[in-house]
Amino acid sequence: MKRDLSTEEKIKAAAKKVFMTKGFDGCSVRDIAKEVGSNVALLNYYFRSKEKLFELIFEGAMSDFLQSIIEVFSSDLALKEKTSLLIDKEFDFFMEHPELPMFIIQAIQQNKNESSVAPTFFEPIEKTGIFQQLKEAQAKGEMRQMSLRNITILLMSNVHYPFMSKKLTQQFHGIDEATLQQDLFAHKAHVKEMLINYLFPQNQPA
Amino acid sequence: MKRDLSTEEKIKAAAKKVFMTKGFDGCSVRDIAKEVGSNVALLNYYFRSKEKLFELIFEGAMSDFLQSIIEVFSSDLALKEKTSLLIDKEFDFFMEHPELPMFIIQAIQQNKNESSVAPTFFEPIEKTGIFQQLKEAQAKGEMRQMSLRNITILLMSNVHYPFMSKKLTQQFHGIDEATLQQDLFAHKAHVKEMLINYLFPQNQPA
DNA sequence: ACTCTTTTTAAACAAATGTTTAAATAACTT
DNA sequence: AAGTTATTTAAACATTTGTTTAAAAAGAGT
């Protein structure tokens, strides 16, 4: 057939949309089929099952996610500048894909990911040499002495959470999408200043 | 009958456990019945439906959540001390109920909460006078000039996210539960120092 | 035009879902 | 002990679930 443009891609796009908004358990394959404007059997014709389709979407999401990080880490900047740039880029990225952090964390929490994320996620980042750069910066006293894991938690908390809690924040403060958007911009500025100051203290002791 | 101790409570406990770990969509009423060690019909006898039961659990979770905040805000301390205490208490609370942040945010995201959270959540906090205290602290220059909403986002990000991303962090760094626990303690210390320094700058400009 | 393969569909499948029914069992009242 | 109510159960219910089947439709090759 080759109807118009790859049906396979259309299904993937629809599945992504539905999975992202409703979650794996929260949607049926018929929901996705309806979004495609087609039949349920077609999904299993192209992808073997609902689970396989989800895994594909999940891996794609992780890949997109990873991409935006790698770009920054691969750049030729000092760690302080990389940190600042990372926060900027991540915010820009999540502004366009606000459902992504929730989607990923939820999928991992429910073990919907067959393989561990470590090899597909940790290693590509390590290859950018960012961890080595971090070690050196700490050795030179340019950066606060704290574990890589705690740096990660600190960064991710401030960058991911605001997008995961959009609805909660809106309901809690009774604000609309546009106002929240402004708050997110303000948050980005706060996070940048706060984190940079904390991670790279200007008057380090002794 | 009054078999042993309130069947109703046993069902609620089981439902809480199952809903927390698997989510509303991720579990069936039979999962809950099995956890109780009883029949499905019993759930609908005490609670009208799966949805009603969930709402009850959700409201209970929100209430517990709120309780731990109110306590701190109602205390007779300066804002700086309250902030520090809040972070401590919240961390202690989530150490014992690590699924709670995810559960609440997920429920709100999927509109599983009938009523808006604002009245049940915002107002009790406002009644502690914390917002007024905050305004005054900012007027006196003791606290950084930033919106209540951004303060909220900043605090919640650093306190909630680490518990929501437990599995992700574990997989990413390849660490066990005990190690993560230590990281969370370290994170608490970092957050306290970082946030206090940022929210209450010692050398405020002009 | 005819064949062969690929794509799409409607229908059916068994299993699982939330809920209800009616009967059984236990507890309470007198 | 008998009668009444409250609790618990097994079974059935109508839908919905993910998946499969077999036929129809569309494309490509000759």
Side-chain angles (χ1 to χ4, degrees), chain B residues 1 3 27-30 41 44 49-50:
Chain B
M1 262 193 185
R3 290 231 164 262
C27 76
S28 69
V29 288
R30 281 169 182 82
N44 283 31
S49 66
K50 187 190 181 187

PDB file of all heavy atoms in Angstrom, chain B residues 1 3 27-30 41 44 49-50, chain C residues 16-21 25-28:
ATOM      1  N   MET B   1     -21.243  -8.934  62.645  1.00  0.00           N
ATOM      2  CA  MET B   1     -20.068  -9.784  62.826  1.00  0.00           C
ATOM      3  C   MET B   1     -19.016  -9.134  63.735  1.00  0.00           C
ATOM      4  O   MET B   1     -18.703  -9.648  64.779  1.00  0.00           O
ATOM      5  CB  MET B   1     -19.414 -10.073  61.486  1.00  0.00           C
ATOM      6  CG  MET B   1     -19.828 -11.434  60.911  1.00  0.00           C
ATOM      7  SD  MET B   1     -18.756 -11.853  59.560  1.00  0.00           S
ATOM      8  CE  MET B   1     -19.528 -13.353  58.981  1.00  0.00           C
ATOM      9  N   ARG B   3     -15.829  -9.061  63.149  1.00  0.00           N
ATOM     10  CA  ARG B   3     -14.879 -10.194  63.213  1.00  0.00           C
ATOM     11  C   ARG B   3     -13.732  -9.969  64.207  1.00  0.00           C
ATOM     12  O   ARG B   3     -13.763 -10.439  65.318  1.00  0.00           O
ATOM     13  CB  ARG B   3     -14.302 -10.462  61.819  1.00  0.00           C
ATOM     14  CG  ARG B   3     -15.322 -11.053  60.858  1.00  0.00           C
ATOM     15  CD  ARG B   3     -14.730 -12.308  60.206  1.00  0.00           C
ATOM     16  NE  ARG B   3     -15.787 -13.111  59.580  1.00  0.00           N
ATOM     17  CZ  ARG B   3     -16.349 -14.163  60.155  1.00  0.00           C
ATOM     18  NH1 ARG B   3     -15.976 -14.566  61.342  1.00  0.00           N
ATOM     19  NH2 ARG B   3     -17.281 -14.845  59.535  1.00  0.00           N
ATOM     20  N   CYS B  27      -3.886  -1.393  39.022  1.00  0.00           N
ATOM     21  CA  CYS B  27      -4.367  -2.488  39.855  1.00  0.00           C
ATOM     22  C   CYS B  27      -5.851  -2.745  39.633  1.00  0.00           C
ATOM     23  O   CYS B  27      -6.578  -1.884  39.158  1.00  0.00           O
ATOM     24  CB  CYS B  27      -4.105  -2.177  41.325  1.00  0.00           C
ATOM     25  SG  CYS B  27      -5.254  -0.952  42.009  1.00  0.00           S
ATOM     26  N   SER B  28      -6.298  -3.921  39.988  1.00  0.00           N
ATOM     27  CA  SER B  28      -7.714  -4.260  39.916  1.00  0.00           C
ATOM     28  C   SER B  28      -8.274  -4.373  41.332  1.00  0.00           C
ATOM     29  O   SER B  28      -7.518  -4.511  42.298  1.00  0.00           O
ATOM     30  CB  SER B  28      -7.899  -5.580  39.182  1.00  0.00           C
ATOM     31  OG  SER B  28      -7.406  -6.641  39.960  1.00  0.00           O
ATOM     32  N   VAL B  29      -9.582  -4.326  41.420  1.00  0.00           N
ATOM     33  CA  VAL B  29     -10.199  -4.479  42.742  1.00  0.00           C
ATOM     34  C   VAL B  29      -9.904  -5.859  43.310  1.00  0.00           C
ATOM     35  O   VAL B  29      -9.873  -6.039  44.528  1.00  0.00           O
ATOM     36  CB  VAL B  29     -11.722  -4.253  42.677  1.00  0.00           C
ATOM     37  CG1 VAL B  29     -12.024  -2.787  42.467  1.00  0.00           C
ATOM     38  CG2 VAL B  29     -12.361  -5.114  41.629  1.00  0.00           C
ATOM     39  N   ARG B  30      -9.668  -6.813  42.435  1.00  0.00           N
ATOM     40  CA  ARG B  30      -9.320  -8.156  42.898  1.00  0.00           C
ATOM     41  C   ARG B  30      -7.930  -8.196  43.518  1.00  0.00           C
ATOM     42  O   ARG B  30      -7.655  -8.988  44.429  1.00  0.00           O
ATOM     43  CB  ARG B  30      -9.431  -9.154  41.738  1.00  0.00           C
ATOM     44  CG  ARG B  30     -10.861  -9.564  41.439  1.00  0.00           C
ATOM     45  CD  ARG B  30     -11.015 -10.328  40.140  1.00  0.00           C
ATOM     46  NE  ARG B  30     -12.412 -10.671  39.865  1.00  0.00           N
ATOM     47  CZ  ARG B  30     -13.291  -9.841  39.323  1.00  0.00           C
ATOM     48  NH1 ARG B  30     -12.914  -8.611  39.000  1.00  0.00           N
ATOM     49  NH2 ARG B  30     -14.539 -10.217  39.123  1.00  0.00           N
ATOM     50  N   ALA B  41     -16.604  -8.412  46.441  1.00  0.00           N
ATOM     51  CA  ALA B  41     -17.890  -7.796  46.772  1.00  0.00           C
ATOM     52  C   ALA B  41     -17.815  -6.999  48.065  1.00  0.00           C
ATOM     53  O   ALA B  41     -18.553  -6.032  48.255  1.00  0.00           O
ATOM     54  CB  ALA B  41     -18.960  -8.868  46.874  1.00  0.00           C
ATOM     55  N   ASN B  44     -17.033  -3.311  47.579  1.00  0.00           N
ATOM     56  CA  ASN B  44     -18.173  -2.507  47.160  1.00  0.00           C
ATOM     57  C   ASN B  44     -19.267  -2.450  48.219  1.00  0.00           C
ATOM     58  O   ASN B  44     -20.152  -1.619  48.142  1.00  0.00           O
ATOM     59  CB  ASN B  44     -18.744  -3.054  45.848  1.00  0.00           C
ATOM     60  CG  ASN B  44     -17.890  -2.657  44.663  1.00  0.00           C
ATOM     61  OD1 ASN B  44     -16.689  -2.513  44.796  1.00  0.00           O
ATOM     62  ND2 ASN B  44     -18.508  -2.459  43.514  1.00  0.00           N
ATOM     63  N   SER B  49     -17.529   1.985  45.272  1.00  0.00           N
ATOM     64  CA  SER B  49     -16.860   1.608  44.018  1.00  0.00           C
ATOM     65  C   SER B  49     -15.355   1.749  44.154  1.00  0.00           C
ATOM     66  O   SER B  49     -14.849   2.256  45.162  1.00  0.00           O
ATOM     67  CB  SER B  49     -17.346   2.511  42.880  1.00  0.00           C
ATOM     68  OG  SER B  49     -16.914   3.842  43.116  1.00  0.00           O
ATOM     69  N   LYS B  50     -14.638   1.291  43.173  1.00  0.00           N
ATOM     70  CA  LYS B  50     -13.183   1.429  43.157  1.00  0.00           C
ATOM     71  C   LYS B  50     -12.802   2.903  43.233  1.00  0.00           C
ATOM     72  O   LYS B  50     -11.879   3.277  43.949  1.00  0.00           O
ATOM     73  CB  LYS B  50     -12.624   0.806  41.875  1.00  0.00           C
ATOM     74  CG  LYS B  50     -11.098   0.751  41.820  1.00  0.00           C
ATOM     75  CD  LYS B  50     -10.606   0.350  40.431  1.00  0.00           C
ATOM     76  CE  LYS B  50      -9.088   0.259  40.369  1.00  0.00           C
ATOM     77  NZ  LYS B  50      -8.583   0.042  39.002  1.00  0.00           N
TER      78      LYS B  50
ATOM     79  P    DA C  16      -6.807 -13.853  33.253  1.00  0.00           P
ATOM     80  OP1  DA C  16      -5.417 -13.863  33.725  1.00  0.00           O
ATOM     81  OP2  DA C  16      -7.813 -14.757  33.833  1.00  0.00           O
ATOM     82  O5'  DA C  16      -7.357 -12.362  33.391  1.00  0.00           O
ATOM     83  C5'  DA C  16      -6.747 -11.312  32.637  1.00  0.00           C
ATOM     84  C4'  DA C  16      -7.524 -10.040  32.830  1.00  0.00           C
ATOM     85  O4'  DA C  16      -8.779 -10.148  32.128  1.00  0.00           O
ATOM     86  C3'  DA C  16      -7.861  -9.715  34.292  1.00  0.00           C
ATOM     87  O3'  DA C  16      -7.488  -8.385  34.575  1.00  0.00           O
ATOM     88  C2'  DA C  16      -9.367  -9.921  34.383  1.00  0.00           C
ATOM     89  C1'  DA C  16      -9.812  -9.659  32.948  1.00  0.00           C
ATOM     90  N9   DA C  16     -11.039 -10.358  32.555  1.00  0.00           N
ATOM     91  C8   DA C  16     -11.314 -11.696  32.656  1.00  0.00           C
ATOM     92  N7   DA C  16     -12.507 -12.030  32.210  1.00  0.00           N
ATOM     93  C5   DA C  16     -13.052 -10.824  31.792  1.00  0.00           C
ATOM     94  C6   DA C  16     -14.292 -10.495  31.224  1.00  0.00           C
ATOM     95  N6   DA C  16     -15.249 -11.389  30.966  1.00  0.00           N
ATOM     96  N1   DA C  16     -14.512  -9.196  30.928  1.00  0.00           N
ATOM     97  C2   DA C  16     -13.557  -8.297  31.187  1.00  0.00           C
ATOM     98  N3   DA C  16     -12.347  -8.488  31.718  1.00  0.00           N
ATOM     99  C4   DA C  16     -12.163  -9.785  31.999  1.00  0.00           C
ATOM    100  P    DT C  17      -7.614  -7.810  36.041  1.00  0.00           P
ATOM    101  OP1  DT C  17      -6.416  -6.963  36.269  1.00  0.00           O
ATOM    102  OP2  DT C  17      -7.965  -8.904  36.978  1.00  0.00           O
ATOM    103  O5'  DT C  17      -8.874  -6.840  35.923  1.00  0.00           O
ATOM    104  C5'  DT C  17      -8.805  -5.689  35.066  1.00  0.00           C
ATOM    105  C4'  DT C  17     -10.187  -5.129  34.852  1.00  0.00           C
ATOM    106  O4'  DT C  17     -11.002  -6.122  34.200  1.00  0.00           O
ATOM    107  C3'  DT C  17     -10.962  -4.848  36.125  1.00  0.00           C
ATOM    108  O3'  DT C  17     -10.600  -3.588  36.622  1.00  0.00           O
ATOM    109  C2'  DT C  17     -12.404  -4.843  35.624  1.00  0.00           C
ATOM    110  C1'  DT C  17     -12.357  -5.763  34.408  1.00  0.00           C
ATOM    111  N1   DT C  17     -13.133  -7.034  34.546  1.00  0.00           N
ATOM    112  C2   DT C  17     -14.444  -7.041  34.192  1.00  0.00           C
ATOM    113  O2   DT C  17     -15.046  -6.061  33.785  1.00  0.00           O
ATOM    114  N3   DT C  17     -15.072  -8.261  34.341  1.00  0.00           N
ATOM    115  C4   DT C  17     -14.508  -9.442  34.796  1.00  0.00           C
ATOM    116  O4   DT C  17     -15.160 -10.468  34.880  1.00  0.00           O
ATOM    117  C5   DT C  17     -13.109  -9.346  35.146  1.00  0.00           C
ATOM    118  C7   DT C  17     -12.396 -10.567  35.649  1.00  0.00           C
ATOM    119  C6   DT C  17     -12.499  -8.174  35.007  1.00  0.00           C
ATOM    120  P    DG C  18     -10.920  -3.254  38.145  1.00  0.00           P
ATOM    121  OP1  DG C  18     -10.094  -2.090  38.522  1.00  0.00           O
ATOM    122  OP2  DG C  18     -10.811  -4.512  38.892  1.00  0.00           O
ATOM    123  O5'  DG C  18     -12.449  -2.805  38.125  1.00  0.00           O
ATOM    124  C5'  DG C  18     -12.833  -1.656  37.383  1.00  0.00           C
ATOM    125  C4'  DG C  18     -14.334  -1.469  37.465  1.00  0.00           C
ATOM    126  O4'  DG C  18     -14.975  -2.651  36.945  1.00  0.00           O
ATOM    127  C3'  DG C  18     -14.879  -1.265  38.873  1.00  0.00           C
ATOM    128  O3'  DG C  18     -15.926  -0.300  38.852  1.00  0.00           O
ATOM    129  C2'  DG C  18     -15.387  -2.654  39.258  1.00  0.00           C
ATOM    130  C1'  DG C  18     -15.834  -3.206  37.918  1.00  0.00           C
ATOM    131  N9   DG C  18     -15.720  -4.667  37.843  1.00  0.00           N
ATOM    132  C8   DG C  18     -14.644  -5.436  38.196  1.00  0.00           C
ATOM    133  N7   DG C  18     -14.838  -6.715  38.021  1.00  0.00           N
ATOM    134  C5   DG C  18     -16.120  -6.799  37.517  1.00  0.00           C
ATOM    135  C6   DG C  18     -16.883  -7.929  37.123  1.00  0.00           C
ATOM    136  O6   DG C  18     -16.561  -9.127  37.158  1.00  0.00           O
ATOM    137  N1   DG C  18     -18.144  -7.569  36.660  1.00  0.00           N
ATOM    138  C2   DG C  18     -18.602  -6.277  36.581  1.00  0.00           C
ATOM    139  N2   DG C  18     -19.835  -6.128  36.100  1.00  0.00           N
ATOM    140  N3   DG C  18     -17.910  -5.208  36.930  1.00  0.00           N
ATOM    141  C4   DG C  18     -16.679  -5.545  37.392  1.00  0.00           C
ATOM    142  P    DT C  19     -16.697   0.036  40.226  1.00  0.00           P
ATOM    143  OP1  DT C  19     -17.199   1.423  40.147  1.00  0.00           O
ATOM    144  OP2  DT C  19     -15.860  -0.384  41.370  1.00  0.00           O
ATOM    145  O5'  DT C  19     -17.944  -0.944  40.142  1.00  0.00           O
ATOM    146  C5'  DT C  19     -18.781  -0.891  38.990  1.00  0.00           C
ATOM    147  C4'  DT C  19     -19.893  -1.906  39.090  1.00  0.00           C
ATOM    148  O4'  DT C  19     -19.339  -3.242  38.983  1.00  0.00           O
ATOM    149  C3'  DT C  19     -20.662  -1.875  40.412  1.00  0.00           C
ATOM    150  O3'  DT C  19     -22.002  -1.490  40.154  1.00  0.00           O
ATOM    151  C2'  DT C  19     -20.573  -3.313  40.945  1.00  0.00           C
ATOM    152  C1'  DT C  19     -20.155  -4.109  39.720  1.00  0.00           C
ATOM    153  N1   DT C  19     -19.353  -5.335  40.014  1.00  0.00           N
ATOM    154  C2   DT C  19     -19.874  -6.564  39.689  1.00  0.00           C
ATOM    155  O2   DT C  19     -20.966  -6.707  39.168  1.00  0.00           O
ATOM    156  N3   DT C  19     -19.067  -7.629  39.996  1.00  0.00           N
ATOM    157  C4   DT C  19     -17.811  -7.593  40.590  1.00  0.00           C
ATOM    158  O4   DT C  19     -17.186  -8.623  40.822  1.00  0.00           O
ATOM    159  C5   DT C  19     -17.333  -6.279  40.911  1.00  0.00           C
ATOM    160  C7   DT C  19     -15.995  -6.110  41.566  1.00  0.00           C
ATOM    161  C6   DT C  19     -18.109  -5.223  40.610  1.00  0.00           C
ATOM    162  P    DT C  20     -23.049  -1.398  41.383  1.00  0.00           P
ATOM    163  OP1  DT C  20     -24.027  -0.344  41.069  1.00  0.00           O
ATOM    164  OP2  DT C  20     -22.307  -1.369  42.662  1.00  0.00           O
ATOM    165  O5'  DT C  20     -23.783  -2.805  41.270  1.00  0.00           O
ATOM    166  C5'  DT C  20     -24.216  -3.239  39.981  1.00  0.00           C
ATOM    167  C4'  DT C  20     -24.906  -4.597  40.090  1.00  0.00           C
ATOM    168  O4'  DT C  20     -23.912  -5.625  40.288  1.00  0.00           O
ATOM    169  C3'  DT C  20     -25.897  -4.705  41.244  1.00  0.00           C
ATOM    170  O3'  DT C  20     -27.132  -5.179  40.725  1.00  0.00           O
ATOM    171  C2'  DT C  20     -25.245  -5.710  42.204  1.00  0.00           C
ATOM    172  C1'  DT C  20     -24.359  -6.516  41.277  1.00  0.00           C
ATOM    173  N1   DT C  20     -23.127  -7.093  41.896  1.00  0.00           N
ATOM    174  C2   DT C  20     -22.884  -8.450  41.785  1.00  0.00           C
ATOM    175  O2   DT C  20     -23.637  -9.210  41.215  1.00  0.00           O
ATOM    176  N3   DT C  20     -21.715  -8.871  42.371  1.00  0.00           N
ATOM    177  C4   DT C  20     -20.788  -8.095  43.044  1.00  0.00           C
ATOM    178  O4   DT C  20     -19.774  -8.583  43.532  1.00  0.00           O
ATOM    179  C5   DT C  20     -21.111  -6.686  43.122  1.00  0.00           C
ATOM    180  C7   DT C  20     -20.179  -5.768  43.829  1.00  0.00           C
ATOM    181  C6   DT C  20     -22.246  -6.256  42.547  1.00  0.00           C
ATOM    182  P    DT C  21     -28.415  -5.307  41.682  1.00  0.00           P
ATOM    183  OP1  DT C  21     -29.574  -4.905  40.871  1.00  0.00           O
ATOM    184  OP2  DT C  21     -28.137  -4.641  42.975  1.00  0.00           O
ATOM    185  O5'  DT C  21     -28.512  -6.873  41.945  1.00  0.00           O
ATOM    186  C5'  DT C  21     -28.451  -7.772  40.839  1.00  0.00           C
ATOM    187  C4'  DT C  21     -28.419  -9.207  41.325  1.00  0.00           C
ATOM    188  O4'  DT C  21     -27.094  -9.523  41.791  1.00  0.00           O
ATOM    189  C3'  DT C  21     -29.377  -9.492  42.488  1.00  0.00           C
ATOM    190  O3'  DT C  21     -30.292 -10.501  42.107  1.00  0.00           O
ATOM    191  C2'  DT C  21     -28.482  -9.946  43.638  1.00  0.00           C
ATOM    192  C1'  DT C  21     -27.185 -10.325  42.944  1.00  0.00           C
ATOM    193  N1   DT C  21     -25.935 -10.062  43.739  1.00  0.00           N
ATOM    194  C2   DT C  21     -25.024 -11.070  43.905  1.00  0.00           C
ATOM    195  O2   DT C  21     -25.172 -12.178  43.453  1.00  0.00           O
ATOM    196  N3   DT C  21     -23.917 -10.709  44.653  1.00  0.00           N
ATOM    197  C4   DT C  21     -23.657  -9.484  45.213  1.00  0.00           C
ATOM    198  O4   DT C  21     -22.636  -9.277  45.859  1.00  0.00           O
ATOM    199  C5   DT C  21     -24.657  -8.472  44.989  1.00  0.00           C
ATOM    200  C7   DT C  21     -24.484  -7.104  45.564  1.00  0.00           C
ATOM    201  C6   DT C  21     -25.749  -8.796  44.273  1.00  0.00           C
ATOM    202  P    DT C  25     -23.282 -21.541  55.226  1.00  0.00           P
ATOM    203  OP1  DT C  25     -22.165 -22.458  54.935  1.00  0.00           O
ATOM    204  OP2  DT C  25     -24.598 -22.050  55.673  1.00  0.00           O
ATOM    205  O5'  DT C  25     -22.787 -20.489  56.301  1.00  0.00           O
ATOM    206  C5'  DT C  25     -21.649 -19.682  56.001  1.00  0.00           C
ATOM    207  C4'  DT C  25     -21.663 -18.461  56.878  1.00  0.00           C
ATOM    208  O4'  DT C  25     -22.807 -17.639  56.578  1.00  0.00           O
ATOM    209  C3'  DT C  25     -21.749 -18.756  58.382  1.00  0.00           C
ATOM    210  O3'  DT C  25     -20.489 -18.472  58.941  1.00  0.00           O
ATOM    211  C2'  DT C  25     -22.863 -17.823  58.875  1.00  0.00           C
ATOM    212  C1'  DT C  25     -23.008 -16.839  57.714  1.00  0.00           C
ATOM    213  N1   DT C  25     -24.313 -16.163  57.574  1.00  0.00           N
ATOM    214  C2   DT C  25     -24.390 -14.824  57.843  1.00  0.00           C
ATOM    215  O2   DT C  25     -23.442 -14.158  58.209  1.00  0.00           O
ATOM    216  N3   DT C  25     -25.650 -14.272  57.673  1.00  0.00           N
ATOM    217  C4   DT C  25     -26.791 -14.917  57.261  1.00  0.00           C
ATOM    218  O4   DT C  25     -27.848 -14.311  57.145  1.00  0.00           O
ATOM    219  C5   DT C  25     -26.642 -16.323  56.992  1.00  0.00           C
ATOM    220  C7   DT C  25     -27.818 -17.111  56.522  1.00  0.00           C
ATOM    221  C6   DT C  25     -25.428 -16.878  57.151  1.00  0.00           C
ATOM    222  P    DA C  26     -20.180 -18.865  60.474  1.00  0.00           P
ATOM    223  OP1  DA C  26     -18.760 -19.219  60.606  1.00  0.00           O
ATOM    224  OP2  DA C  26     -21.251 -19.783  60.914  1.00  0.00           O
ATOM    225  O5'  DA C  26     -20.401 -17.462  61.194  1.00  0.00           O
ATOM    226  C5'  DA C  26     -19.619 -16.356  60.762  1.00  0.00           C
ATOM    227  C4'  DA C  26     -20.183 -15.085  61.360  1.00  0.00           C
ATOM    228  O4'  DA C  26     -21.528 -14.886  60.867  1.00  0.00           O
ATOM    229  C3'  DA C  26     -20.281 -15.081  62.884  1.00  0.00           C
ATOM    230  O3'  DA C  26     -19.553 -13.981  63.362  1.00  0.00           O
ATOM    231  C2'  DA C  26     -21.782 -14.968  63.167  1.00  0.00           C
ATOM    232  C1'  DA C  26     -22.293 -14.309  61.897  1.00  0.00           C
ATOM    233  N9   DA C  26     -23.684 -14.571  61.552  1.00  0.00           N
ATOM    234  C8   DA C  26     -24.266 -15.782  61.281  1.00  0.00           C
ATOM    235  N7   DA C  26     -25.544 -15.706  60.969  1.00  0.00           N
ATOM    236  C5   DA C  26     -25.819 -14.351  61.041  1.00  0.00           C
ATOM    237  C6   DA C  26     -26.990 -13.613  60.827  1.00  0.00           C
ATOM    238  N6   DA C  26     -28.151 -14.156  60.479  1.00  0.00           N
ATOM    239  N1   DA C  26     -26.923 -12.273  60.982  1.00  0.00           N
ATOM    240  C2   DA C  26     -25.753 -11.721  61.329  1.00  0.00           C
ATOM    241  N3   DA C  26     -24.579 -12.309  61.563  1.00  0.00           N
ATOM    242  C4   DA C  26     -24.684 -13.634  61.393  1.00  0.00           C
ATOM    243  P    DA C  27     -19.226 -13.811  64.908  1.00  0.00           P
ATOM    244  OP1  DA C  27     -17.888 -13.232  65.060  1.00  0.00           O
ATOM    245  OP2  DA C  27     -19.585 -15.067  65.576  1.00  0.00           O
ATOM    246  O5'  DA C  27     -20.294 -12.703  65.318  1.00  0.00           O
ATOM    247  C5'  DA C  27     -20.194 -11.404  64.733  1.00  0.00           C
ATOM    248  C4'  DA C  27     -21.422 -10.597  65.096  1.00  0.00           C
ATOM    249  O4'  DA C  27     -22.584 -11.239  64.509  1.00  0.00           O
ATOM    250  C3'  DA C  27     -21.703 -10.483  66.598  1.00  0.00           C
ATOM    251  O3'  DA C  27     -21.632  -9.116  66.967  1.00  0.00           O
ATOM    252  C2'  DA C  27     -23.107 -11.063  66.773  1.00  0.00           C
ATOM    253  C1'  DA C  27     -23.681 -11.014  65.362  1.00  0.00           C
ATOM    254  N9   DA C  27     -24.656 -12.042  65.050  1.00  0.00           N
ATOM    255  C8   DA C  27     -24.486 -13.398  65.070  1.00  0.00           C
ATOM    256  N7   DA C  27     -25.552 -14.089  64.717  1.00  0.00           N
ATOM    257  C5   DA C  27     -26.493 -13.113  64.442  1.00  0.00           C
ATOM    258  C6   DA C  27     -27.830 -13.185  64.017  1.00  0.00           C
ATOM    259  N6   DA C  27     -28.459 -14.325  63.777  1.00  0.00           N
ATOM    260  N1   DA C  27     -28.479 -12.016  63.828  1.00  0.00           N
ATOM    261  C2   DA C  27     -27.835 -10.862  64.055  1.00  0.00           C
ATOM    262  N3   DA C  27     -26.581 -10.674  64.464  1.00  0.00           N
ATOM    263  C4   DA C  27     -25.962 -11.843  64.636  1.00  0.00           C
ATOM    264  P    DC C  28     -21.789  -8.669  68.465  1.00  0.00           P
ATOM    265  OP1  DC C  28     -20.928  -7.499  68.687  1.00  0.00           O
ATOM    266  OP2  DC C  28     -21.662  -9.863  69.330  1.00  0.00           O
ATOM    267  O5'  DC C  28     -23.312  -8.183  68.509  1.00  0.00           O
ATOM    268  C5'  DC C  28     -23.774  -7.258  67.526  1.00  0.00           C
ATOM    269  C4'  DC C  28     -25.275  -7.117  67.643  1.00  0.00           C
ATOM    270  O4'  DC C  28     -25.924  -8.315  67.156  1.00  0.00           O
ATOM    271  C3'  DC C  28     -25.775  -6.897  69.074  1.00  0.00           C
ATOM    272  O3'  DC C  28     -26.618  -5.748  69.092  1.00  0.00           O
ATOM    273  C2'  DC C  28     -26.538  -8.189  69.395  1.00  0.00           C
ATOM    274  C1'  DC C  28     -27.008  -8.624  68.006  1.00  0.00           C
ATOM    275  N1   DC C  28     -27.281 -10.074  67.872  1.00  0.00           N
ATOM    276  C2   DC C  28     -28.525 -10.490  67.376  1.00  0.00           C
ATOM    277  O2   DC C  28     -29.369  -9.635  67.062  1.00  0.00           O
ATOM    278  N3   DC C  28     -28.779 -11.825  67.247  1.00  0.00           N
ATOM    279  C4   DC C  28     -27.830 -12.713  67.582  1.00  0.00           C
ATOM    280  N4   DC C  28     -28.130 -14.013  67.436  1.00  0.00           N
ATOM    281  C5   DC C  28     -26.559 -12.312  68.083  1.00  0.00           C
ATOM    282  C6   DC C  28     -26.329 -10.998  68.218  1.00  0.00           C
TER     283       DC C  28
END
